[in-house]
């Protein structure tokens, strides 16, 4: 096969619809969901997926079972990488990926592969959730962290989180600092910037889009906070890190 000729043909067939870019963005957002440890949202997604299966995956093999296996193996590899970037121990992430790929390889039906994929996603998501929860002892802090993860797109404040938990804001701030070793306001900021970094590494969204998505009051405020946290503007960060973690073969520090 002439690879360049076949590539040109497929690009021509695909046209200018942008469907691939939309599918790619949705895929990255999904991996981010798993790596955030948001189990409730993952369960919602899995229920919806069983009702309305995702039909955006490409065809990697004309054999349906083999095609499902290829996509499941890719899923395992990418989810493990996102979780590593989120703090999961490398050996744990890679060994889990290997185990699930072996299960997929031995599967004899597409339905069995779907079940394996669901288990994979739940397992990684639980481990990401436990990463943070294992560091704390107070139920209030666990719930506060879950709330932040579930509402990361909102304009979160100490007061709004305390209100959602029916707690005094001063008490919550003191408890959070005591158990997490970091101010709650700083934790909120860091979580938003972590999501922004992942978006800048993997997506083509503008700083304005990311600022709006993460509930910043303005693009300039987002850029100011981002630079204060990372030492770079969002565009400087993107130029240095865009897709770098995938190309290097090693997770970023």
């Amino acid at each position: 096969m002439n690879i360049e000729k076949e590539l040109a043909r497929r690009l021509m067939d695909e046209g200018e619809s942008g469907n691939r870019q939309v599918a790619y963005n949705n895929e990255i957002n999904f991996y981010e969901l798993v790596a955030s440890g948001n189990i409730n949202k993952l369960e919602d997604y899995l229920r919806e997926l069983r009702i309305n299966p995702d039909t955006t995956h490409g065809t990697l093999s004309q054999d349906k079972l083999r095609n499902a296996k290829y996509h499941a193996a890719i899923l395992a590899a990418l989810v493990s990488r996102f979780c590593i970037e989120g703090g999961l121990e490398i050996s744990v992430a890679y060994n889990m990926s290997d185990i699930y790929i072996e299960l997929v390889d031995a599967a004899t039906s597409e339905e069995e592969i779907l079940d394996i994929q669901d288990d994979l996603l739940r397992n990684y998501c639980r481990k990401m959730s436990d990463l943070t929860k294992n560091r704390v002892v107070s139920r209030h802090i666990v719930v506060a962290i879950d709330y932040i993860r579930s509402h990361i797109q909102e304009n979160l404040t100490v007061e709004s989180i305390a209100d959602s938990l029916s707690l005094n804001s001063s008490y919550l701030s003191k408890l959070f600092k005591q158990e997490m070793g970091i101010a709650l306001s700083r934790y909120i900021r860091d979580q938003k910037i972590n999501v922004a970094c992942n978006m800048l590494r993997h997506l083509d969204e503008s700083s304005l889009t990311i600022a709006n998505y993460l509930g910043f009051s303005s693009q300039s405020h987002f850029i100011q906070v981002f630079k204060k946290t990372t030492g770079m503007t969002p565009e400087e960060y993107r130029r240095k890190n865009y897709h770098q973690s995938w190309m290097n073969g090693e997770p970023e520090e």
Side-chain angles (χ1 to χ4, degrees):
M1 177 187 291
N2 185 318
I3 299 298
E4 292 301 321
K5 184 177 180 180
E6 178 64 15
L7 175 60
R9 184 189 68 78
R10 294 192 182 195
L11 289 174
M12 184 177 296
D13 290 343
E14 190 171 283
E16 302 296 330
S17 67
N19 288 339
R20 283 294 179 100
Q21 182 64 38
V22 171
Y24 176 72
N25 290 353
N26 290 339
E27 192 175 358
I28 295 298
N29 288 336
F30 171 65
Y31 296 141
E32 190 68 56
L33 166 64
V34 176
S36 74
N38 194 326
I39 296 172
N40 290 333
K41 281 195 175 181
L42 175 63
E43 290 296 340
D44 291 341
Y45 177 91
L46 293 177
R47 280 192 294 271
E48 177 63 26
L49 195 59
R50 288 298 179 125
I51 298 171
N52 300 301
D54 187 355
T55 59
T56 60
H57 290 309
T59 301
L60 302 178
S61 172
Q62 296 304 317
D63 181 279
K64 289 186 177 181
L65 180 60
R66 186 178 292 116
N67 188 61
K69 288 185 177 184
Y70 287 159
H71 281 292
I74 292 169
L75 174 71
L78 292 179
V79 168
S80 67
R81 177 56 60 92
F82 268 77
C83 289
I84 287 170
E85 291 182 353
L88 187 62
E89 187 179 342
I90 295 175
S91 60
V92 172
Y94 282 161
N95 275 292
M96 281 178 60
S97 176
D98 290 346
I99 290 168
Y100 280 109
I101 289 174
E102 289 169 11
L103 290 172
V104 166
D105 185 55
T108 58
S109 71
E110 292 178 78
E111 185 65 27
E112 184 180 355
I113 292 173
L114 287 176
D115 290 339
I116 292 170
Q117 287 181 165
D118 286 357
D119 188 66
L120 175 155
L121 294 167
R122 290 187 177 104
N123 204 349
Y124 273 105
C125 198
R126 280 194 295 267
K127 287 192 177 299
M128 295 307 293
S129 179
D130 291 344
L131 271 179
T132 302
K133 290 180 180 180
N134 286 342
R135 297 203 306 259
V136 301
V137 295
S138 166
R139 177 181 174 278
H140 289 321
I141 302 306
V142 171
V143 175
I145 289 170
D146 278 342
Y147 185 87
I148 293 168
R149 286 174 172 167
S150 300
H151 297 79
I152 196 68
Q153 295 169 245
E154 298 177 10
N155 181 22
L156 294 169
T157 63
V158 174
E159 290 73 21
S160 66
I161 296 170
D163 286 344
S164 73
L165 304 180
S166 300
L167 294 174
N168 177 275
S169 59
S170 297
Y171 169 76
L172 179 60
S173 292
K174 182 178 179 180
L175 186 63
F176 197 95
K177 181 66 179 292
Q178 177 182 319
E179 297 193 10
M180 296 295 290
I182 184 175
L184 178 52
S185 57
R186 173 69 180 273
Y187 182 84
I188 295 168
R189 187 191 77 183
D190 288 351
Q191 292 304 302
K192 285 181 176 287
I193 296 303
N194 285 343
V195 173
C197 285
N198 273 330
M199 294 179 74
L200 289 164
R201 278 200 299 268
H202 305 300
L203 302 179
D204 296 318
E205 306 294 353
S206 67
S207 293
L208 177 59
T209 299
I210 295 174
N212 289 337
Y213 176 79
L214 291 173
F216 282 89
S217 58
S218 66
Q219 181 181 7
S220 59
H221 181 227
F222 165 63
I223 293 173
Q224 179 185 20
V225 173
F226 191 94
K227 187 170 184 179
K228 182 177 180 180
T229 305
T230 67
M232 293 178 276
T233 66
E235 288 310 310
E236 288 170 343
Y237 182 90
R238 170 174 276 150
R239 284 196 295 271
K240 183 177 180 181
N241 297 283
Y242 188 63
H243 283 186
Q244 181 176 317
S245 60
W246 310 111
M247 294 186 292
N248 288 349
E250 293 292 338
E252 295 173 325
E253 297 295 335

